[in-house]
C-alpha cells in the first residue's frame, strides 16, 4: 500500500518526460537549408510534463511530479524552477547522473510550431521510479507503448493524453490502456489516427465507448467532449486569440480540464475554462513559462468586452480567488 503518512495527499500527481525547452517565436516561416533567420522573441524553461505541473500549481492545486532530470545544468535549472519557484512536490522525481536532460527547440510560425528534440530514453521507467505513488485526487499519465501500473494506485481520477507517434503506425492497442482511465484528451489528429476514423466527431464517438470522459481538441475549431458519468455533451468553440506561440497549449488545456473537473463544474464550463487557460498561454512565448495564473484569468475577464463571451465565461467570476495575485 502507498505510504500516505509520508506523502500527504496531493490534488494532482503527474508523471512523464520532462524537457528543457528553447522556444523561438515571431518567425514568418521555418528555416530553409543554407539560410539564417533572426527573431527577437525567445524564451527557455521546463517543458513536456512540466507544462501540466506549472499550470496546475499556478491554479492553486497541490501538485506532484515524477520525472527524470539529468544531473546537468539544464536538469538542475528545471528542478529549481519546478520545486522552488512553483512549489511542485518533486519527492518522486530523480536527478540522474550521466544522463542528459532531453532538450527541445520549438520554432513557432504560421500559427503552429515545429519541434526538434535531442535526448535518450530515461534510465528508469515510471513504475520503477515512482514505486507506490502518493494519494492524489487525480493523476495525469502520458500513454506510451509500454503500459504503466502507477496511475491506478493513486486512488484518484486518471486523465490520459498521448503524443506524436514517431512510427506513424498509431496502433489501436494503445487504446487498451484506457480501461483504467477516467478521461482521454487527444487532439483531433491523434484521435482520428488511433480510432481509424475520418472526422473528430466519429473519433469522439468511438472514444466515448472506451472512457467515461472523452475530449477531442480541434485547435481553432474548438473542442468536442462527452461525459458518460453525467450524460453531458459539449461542442465549445475556440476563443479568438492572437497566437504568438502554441507550444504546450494542449498540455495547458489538459491541466485546466483536470482543475475544472476536480472543482465539479458542468462539462461545458470545464471545457470553457480549459479553453481559456490554453488561449492565455498561446499569447506568450514558451510552454510552461506561459502557463497562466489566476491573475491572468481575472485580467482577461476584466478586459472582456464581447457580451456573448462575458455570458459564457461569467461563471469564472465566482471561482476566482480573493487574492488572484497570490
Amino acid at each position: 500500500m502507498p505510504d500516505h503518512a509520508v506523502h500527504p495527499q496531493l490534488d494532482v500527481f503527474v508523471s512523464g518526460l520532462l524537457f528543457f525547452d528553447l522556444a523561438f517565436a515571431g518567425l514568418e516561416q521555418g528555416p530553409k537549408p543554407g539560410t539564417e533567420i533572426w527573431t527577437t522573441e525567445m524564451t527557455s524553461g521546463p517543458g513536456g510534463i512540466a507544462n501540466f505541473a506549472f499550470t496546475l500549481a499556478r491554479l492553486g492545486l497541490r501538485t506532484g511530479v515524477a520525472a527524470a532530470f539529468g544531473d546537468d545544468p539544464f536538469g538542475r535549472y528545471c528542478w529549481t524552477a519546478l520545486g522552488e519557484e512553483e512549489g511542485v512536490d518533486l519527492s518522486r522525481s530523480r536527478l540522474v547522473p550521466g544522463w542528459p536532460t532531453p532538450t527541445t527547440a520549438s520554432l513557432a510560425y504560421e500559427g503552429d510550431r515545429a519541434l526538434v528534440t535531442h535526448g535518450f530514453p530515461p534510465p528508469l521507467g515510471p513504475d520503477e521510479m515512482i514505486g507506490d505513488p502518493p494519494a492524489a485526487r487525480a493523476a495525469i499519465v502520458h500513454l506510451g507503448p509500454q503500459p504503466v501500473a502507477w496511475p491506478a494506485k493513486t486512488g484518484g481520477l486518471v486523465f490520459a493524453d498521448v503524443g506524436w507517434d514517431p512510427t506513424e503506425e498509431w496502433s489501436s492497442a494503445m487504446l487498451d490502456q484506457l480501461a483504467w482511465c477516467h478521461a482521454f484528451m487527444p487532439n483531433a489528429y491523434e484521435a482520428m489516427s488511433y480510432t481509424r476514423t475520418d472526422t473528430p466527431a466519429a473519433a469522439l464517438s468511438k472514444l466515448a465507448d472506451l472512457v467515461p470522459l472523452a475530449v477531442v481538441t480541434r485547435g481553432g475549431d474548438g473542442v468536442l467532449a462527452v461525459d458518460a458519468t453525467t450524460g453531458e455533451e459539449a461542442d465549445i468553440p475556440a476563443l479568438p486569440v492572437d497566437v504568438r506561440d502554441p507550444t504546450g497549449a494542449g498540455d495547458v488545456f489538459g491541466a485546466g480540464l483536470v482543475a475544472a473537473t476536480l472543482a465539479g463544474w458542468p462539462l461545458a464550463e470545464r471545457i470553457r475554462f480549459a479553453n481559456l487557460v490554453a488561449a492565455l498561454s498561446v499569447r506568450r512565448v514558451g510552454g510552461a513559462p506561459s502557463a497562466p495564473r489566476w491573475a491572468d484569468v481575472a485580467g482577461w475577464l476584466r478586459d472582456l468586452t464581447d457580451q456573448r463571451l462575458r455570458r459564457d465565461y461569467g461563471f469564472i467570476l465566482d471561482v476566482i480567488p480573493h487574492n488572484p495575485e497570490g
Side-chain angles (χ1 to χ4, degrees), residues 126-148:
D127 285 331
E128 182 182 3
M129 181 167 54
I130 296 169
D132 286 327
R137 298 170 63 204
I140 301 175
V141 60
H142 185 83
L143 299 182
Q146 298 300 320
V148 292

Side-chain angles (χ1 to χ4, degrees), residues 210-221:
L210 302 176
V211 69
L213 175 58
V215 179
V216 176
T217 60
R218 300 175 296 167
D221 293 325

Side-chain angles (χ1 to χ4, degrees), residues 35-51:
T35 69
E36 180 180 11
I37 56 177
W38 283 64
T39 181
T40 57
E41 296 188 66
M42 185 197 80
T43 193
S44 61
I49 205 65
N51 300 333

Side-chain angles (χ1 to χ4, degrees), residues 18 65-80 84 90-101 123-124 129:
L18 179 131
V65 166
F69 295 69
D71 191 7
D72 54 24
F74 288 165
R76 290 191 293 271
Y77 166 78
C78 291
W79 186 283
T80 298
E84 297 182 16
L90 298 179
S91 61
R92 298 304 175 100
S93 292
R94 304 279 185 88
L95 277 169
V96 183
W99 179 71
T101 301
L124 294 174
M129 181 167 54

Side-chain angles (χ1 to χ4, degrees), residues 157-160 178 181-186 204 207-216 224-230 232 234 257-258 260-261 267 270-271:
L157 301 175
V158 178
F159 291 74
L178 297 181
C181 295
H182 172 75
F184 187 41
M185 311 175 290
L204 180 73
L207 294 175
D209 291 332
L210 302 176
V211 69
L213 175 58
V215 179
V216 176
L224 299 174
V226 174
D227 188 338
T229 66
T230 62
E232 297 171 284
L257 179 64
V258 172
T261 300
L267 180 61
R270 283 179 266 161
I271 300 301

Side-chain angles (χ1 to χ4, degrees), residues 26-261:
L27 304 172
E28 294 184 2
Q29 61 185 18
K32 297 179 181 179
T35 69
E36 180 180 11
I37 56 177
W38 283 64
T39 181
T40 57
E41 296 188 66
M42 185 197 80
T43 193
S44 61
I49 205 65
N51 300 333
F52 282 101
F54 264 60
T55 307
L56 293 162
R58 289 180 174 184
L59 293 176
L61 279 79
R62 297 168 297 167
T63 305
V65 166
F69 295 69
D71 191 7
D72 54 24
F74 288 165
R76 290 191 293 271
Y77 166 78
C78 291
W79 186 283
T80 298
L82 276 162
E84 297 182 16
E85 297 176 11
E86 301 296 330
V88 174
D89 179 1
L90 298 179
S91 61
R92 298 304 175 100
S93 292
R94 304 279 185 88
L95 277 169
V96 183
W99 179 71
T101 301
T103 302
T104 294
S106 175
L107 307 178
Y109 58 94
E110 297 179 0
D112 208 336
R113 85 285 185 270
L115 306 176
V116 180
T117 296
H118 169 270
F120 303 92
L124 294 174
D127 285 331
E128 182 182 3
M129 181 167 54
I130 296 169
D132 286 327
R137 298 170 63 204
I140 301 175
V141 60
H142 185 83
L143 299 182
Q146 298 300 320
V148 292
W150 70 264
K153 298 178 182 179
T154 64
L157 301 175
V158 178
F159 291 74
D161 79 335
V162 290
W164 176 260
D165 180 0
T167 69
E168 297 190 54
E169 294 178 356
W170 306 101
S171 172
S172 58
M174 183 78 74
L175 302 182
D176 293 342
Q177 298 179 59
L178 297 181
W180 41 264
C181 295
H182 172 75
F184 187 41
M185 311 175 290
N187 64 36
Y189 188 85
E190 295 160 350
M192 291 187 292
S193 296
Y194 280 117
T195 59
R196 306 295 193 268
T197 53
D198 296 326
T199 67
L204 180 73
S205 180
K206 283 201 170 186
L207 294 175
D209 291 332
L210 302 176
V211 69
L213 175 58
V215 179
V216 176
T217 60
R218 300 175 296 167
D221 293 325
V223 182
L224 299 174
V226 174
D227 188 338
T229 66
T230 62
E232 297 171 284
E233 299 181 7
D235 181 351
I236 305 299
L239 281 168
V241 64
D242 180 19
V243 178
R244 291 178 64 191
D245 180 10
T247 302
D251 298 337
V252 175
F253 174 93
L257 179 64
V258 172
T261 300

